[in-house]
Amino acid sequence: MYGKCVFAGLASPLHRPEVVDAILKKYYGLVSDVVDGFLGKVTSVEDIRRIDVAGVACFICVVLTGGTEHLVLEVARRGVPLALIAHDTQNSLAAALEAKARLDYEGLYAELYTEKNLKYLEDFVKAAKAVHKVRGSKLLLVGEPSPWLIYSSLGIEEFKKMLGLSIDVIPVEELIREYHRVTDGDVEKELLKLKDVEVVELSEEDVMNSVRLYVALRNLVRKYSTDFVSIRCFDLLEHKVTACLPLSILNDEGIIAGCEGDVPATLTMALMYHISGKPVFMGNVVWVEEDKVFFAHCTTPTRIMARFKLRSHFESGLGVAVEGYPRVGEKATFARIDPVERVLRTGVGRIVNSSPISGNVCRTQIQVRTQGNPFKLIEKPIGNHYVVALGNHVQSLGYLAKMLKLKLELI
């Protein structure tokens, strides 16, 4: 469901209408770029109660006058993230401060802005829309989480509660049956999209089988009407095929697809995808040194790479993996949500490599020089997979943590 950001002005009828209307017009002009709906001036609790919030991701309310504390409280009680904007006349800030204190007391989420920090409002809206899009969604889990995810598999029930998530679990054998039903014609059509891609170490059959698996996995995503998918991918090795390229293609197409049945990482991928507006990379933490973190995996969305080639899967030498080449100097945010400890851990920095660093780890490799202390990843581990998104999204992730009642932990 599309999540709208709805703007309204909250006013007491005691104040002069022409003054109040001018303030409303000014602030709507300042925020109109991030707003999808306009309610105008609201002066009564009844008007707020009549609002249908089903498709609303967040409210932005300018506190036009004093005497509006009860209106702010009523908006917040609708259960939608709220951004309040106060200005320096008409007792606006006084009302906003009183209202915000009551919201904090009741555990209702709202952020308070003035013109000085209004530049962060877009980050708030991105976070609210990401939560709205993921909440109530469905994950297709192909096979149970991989057996080595002995910590990451603990938080699945917490994630279901946190986001109203539903999970359809199907056996890997169902994917294999669908794989054998895919026609050569369907494979040939998809192969055309890869005709100019560099291929190393692989036979034509390897690539065809990988594309066949992509078509099969896409068919199951459609069959189960799911919003995202994760797969116990190493079980496919006995069939001489890997999920690396299929997951890459799905992510490039906007279908969130995670590895190894790691539900926390896949949900983190979904939220960061909606915040960043671009496909994201899920990788192992390979190494930490000084101010750098090294991530690697055998799959990546190709849209976020400067270029890529197809190679064999690192551990097994079987199937098809994706070796991506990142852009040096590009900003990158890495994050992981731990639903067990209710932590969202994140850091930001710049990518320092443009090609693989080591031949002894997975094919796509991204090393990020951070602005903080990367050794926190080792001192208090919360799982082995982190999600990397291009750009600086720490501010949005901070808002997202508050919306989901998570502790924000900055690297």
Side-chain angles (χ1 to χ4, degrees):
M1 184 183 296
Y2 175 67
K4 295 186 295 183
C5 176
V6 176
F7 177 86
L10 306 180
S12 163
L14 295 178
H15 292 249
R16 288 181 294 162
E18 66 275 15
V19 174
V20 172
D21 291 345
I23 297 170
L24 177 65
K25 181 179 179 181
K26 172 188 173 180
Y27 280 90
Y28 178 66
L30 290 176
V31 303
S32 59
D33 286 350
V34 298
V35 167
D36 308 297
F38 180 67
L39 294 177
K41 184 167 62 177
V42 177
T43 59
S44 74
V45 166
E46 289 72 25
D47 288 343
I48 294 168
R49 289 174 179 168
R50 284 193 288 267
I51 300 170
D52 180 5
V53 298
V56 177
C58 61
F59 285 110
I60 298 176
C61 293
V62 56
V63 182
L64 295 168
T65 72
T68 54
E69 292 86 348
H70 62 300
L71 299 179
V72 174
L73 184 58
E74 193 63 35
V75 174
R77 284 175 173 169
R78 298 307 307 274
V80 175
L82 169 61
L84 294 171
I85 304 173
H87 57 93
D88 59 0
T89 69
Q90 311 301 312
N91 293 321
S92 168
L93 182 58
L97 292 173
E98 180 72 16
K100 180 68 164 62
R102 177 60 181 267
L103 301 188
D104 291 346
Y105 172 77
E106 292 196 12
L108 299 171
Y109 175 62
E111 292 288 341
L112 179 56
Y113 295 89
T114 67
E115 282 192 50
K116 297 296 184 183
N117 64 345
L118 209 54
K119 63 183 179 180
Y120 299 118
L121 188 61
E122 184 178 1
D123 297 306
F124 168 87
V125 172
K126 286 179 180 179
K129 288 188 173 184
V131 171
H132 186 271
K133 287 172 181 173
V134 175
R135 178 167 279 139
S137 53
K138 184 197 288 188
L139 168 67
L140 179 63
L141 199 53
V142 183
E144 298 288 343
S146 294
W148 48 84
L149 296 180
I150 57 175
Y151 180 75
S152 300
S153 58
L154 297 178
I156 294 176
E157 290 303 316
E158 287 301 316
F159 247 129
K160 289 169 73 172
K161 294 175 191 174
M162 187 191 307
L163 288 164
L165 184 71
S166 63
I167 300 179
D168 284 343
V169 183
I170 63 172
V172 174
E173 289 72 24
E174 184 172 346
L175 174 60
I176 294 302
R177 287 194 295 270
E178 184 66 29
Y179 169 79
H180 289 299
R181 282 195 288 264
V182 174
T183 67
D184 289 344
D186 288 335
V187 174
E188 291 291 343
K189 185 166 59 177
E190 298 299 332
L191 273 173
L192 290 174
K193 301 174 185 177
L194 299 171
K195 62 183 179 66
D196 296 324
V197 175
E198 183 180 357
V199 176
V200 181
E201 308 161 336
L202 305 173
S203 68
E204 184 178 344
E205 184 181 11
D206 289 330
V207 179
M208 288 188 68
N209 289 342
S210 187
V211 171
R212 191 181 303 277
L213 187 71
Y214 153 70
V215 176
L217 192 53
R218 184 188 64 189
N219 289 348
L220 291 181
V221 167
R222 292 172 178 173
K223 174 183 175 180
Y224 286 93
S225 300
T226 188
D227 300 283
F228 27 82
V229 62
S230 189
I231 179 171
R232 183 175 165 128
C233 34
F234 277 73
D235 284 15
L236 298 169
L237 294 178
E238 64 182 276
H239 302 280
K240 311 301 183 192
V241 66
T242 57
C244 308
L245 179 59
L247 297 181
S248 170
I249 298 172
L250 288 172
N251 280 301
D252 275 331
E253 293 177 342
I255 299 170
I256 308 304
C259 311
E260 301 173 36
D262 188 332
V263 174
T266 303
L267 268 293
T268 306
M269 289 176 73
L271 291 163
M272 290 187 74
Y273 167 76
H274 289 302
I275 284 174
S276 68
K278 297 177 182 178
V280 295
F281 171 73
M282 168 184 170
N284 295 322
V285 178
V286 173
W287 198 247
V288 175
E289 60 179 31
E290 298 177 347
D291 59 350
K292 295 189 286 292
V293 188
F294 182 10
F295 304 99
H297 238 200
C298 277
T299 185
T300 178
T302 63
R303 285 173 51 198
I304 62 172
M305 293 287 149
R307 63 186 182 90
F308 71 98
K309 65 177 67 170
L310 301 183
R311 294 193 59 187
S312 62
H313 181 243
F314 165 65
E315 289 94 337
S316 67
L318 301 171
V320 179
V322 182
E323 184 173 276
Y325 289 69
R327 297 177 180 87
V328 172
E330 192 148 21
K331 284 186 180 179
T333 303
F334 57 91
R336 180 179 173 89
I337 295 175
D338 176 10
V340 178
E341 296 292 331
R342 298 196 68 84
V343 166
L344 192 166
R345 177 180 287 170
T346 186
V348 66
R350 291 190 181 273
I351 297 172
V352 298
N353 66 304
S354 61
S355 60
I357 296 168
S358 169
N360 297 314
V361 297
C362 296
R363 303 305 189 188
T364 295
Q365 301 172 20
I366 299 177
Q367 190 170 44
V368 179
R369 176 174 283 116
T370 72
Q371 297 175 1
N373 173 20
F375 285 93
K376 285 184 180 179
L377 276 67
I378 296 174
E379 293 161 1
K380 176 58 178 171
I382 57 173
N384 70 320
H385 292 132
Y386 278 73
V387 178
V388 181
L390 298 183
N392 184 345
H393 306 290
V394 168
Q395 188 73 34
S396 285
L397 289 172
Y399 290 134
L400 186 142
K402 293 180 184 179
M403 293 172 193
L404 295 180
K405 294 182 169 51
L406 301 170
K407 175 187 175 184
L408 182 68
E409 193 173 283
L410 296 175
I411 297 297

